[in-house]
Amino acid sequence: MAESWSPTDVGTIRFPSGVLVRGRGLRQPLPSGATPSFAVYLLGKQPPPTEWEARWLPWPDFRLPKDREQARNVLTEALARAKDERVEIACEGGLGRTGTALACMAVLDGVPADQAVAYVRRNYRPRAVETPWQRRFVRRFGDV
């Protein structure tokens, strides 16, 4: 198994359990250094193949995932795998969908749902989670 990210790797967020996950915008070049061993791509269309294992979670830009149960399952898997692997969560810009997914993962890792967006904005990117419905999705993610 691959080692997890370093806290200094670009775009990484440390969850309360200590797990590191890298968030990224696919419009930007792949950061130098280690590549992911597992990735979740949050896109409206299927992403191109990668050299690492990846899951596609259908999620149109500025919207919510098409299948919320699938989103919960994929993000739960990503969080579990991040304990021992380099996990990347990415959409086109790395803010809205990626921020929302990271906030949901923070909820899975124990951050109260009403604090998860602020947690991600403080520890990943200040503008993460772009729309009111994305923020509501995170708040409700803890209810399921």
Side-chain angles (χ1 to χ4, degrees), residues 22-88:
R22 180 170 78 186
R24 177 166 86 90
L26 296 172
R27 283 191 291 244
Q28 302 301 316
L30 187 67
S32 61
T35 58
S37 52
F38 177 73
V40 176
Y41 296 118
L42 318 163
L43 301 168
K45 63 180 182 176
Q46 189 162 1
T50 59
E51 297 175 18
W52 46 87
E53 185 180 355
R55 299 263 187 287
W56 170 43
L57 183 58
W59 191 329
D61 200 9
F62 295 105
R63 304 246 187 257
L64 298 174
K66 292 205 175 262
D67 183 330
R68 293 170 193 215
E69 184 176 337
Q70 179 190 20
R72 178 175 288 279
N73 292 339
V74 168
L75 296 176
T76 298
E77 176 187 3
L79 185 63
R81 292 181 73 156
K83 292 175 184 168
D84 301 311
E85 299 179 57
R86 289 184 306 274
V87 171
E88 172 177 87

Side-chain angles (χ1 to χ4, degrees), residues 79-129:
L79 185 63
R81 292 181 73 156
K83 292 175 184 168
D84 301 311
E85 299 179 57
R86 289 184 306 274
V87 171
E88 172 177 87
I89 306 294
C91 64
E92 289 295 328
L95 291 173
R97 292 170 284 183
T98 296
T100 302
L102 292 172
C104 290
M105 292 173 74
V107 171
L108 291 170
D109 201 54
V111 175
D114 64 342
Q115 298 173 28
V117 171
Y119 182 88
V120 168
R121 287 177 173 172
R122 190 171 50 253
N123 293 288
Y124 171 61
R125 291 192 181 167
R127 292 185 6 221
V129 192

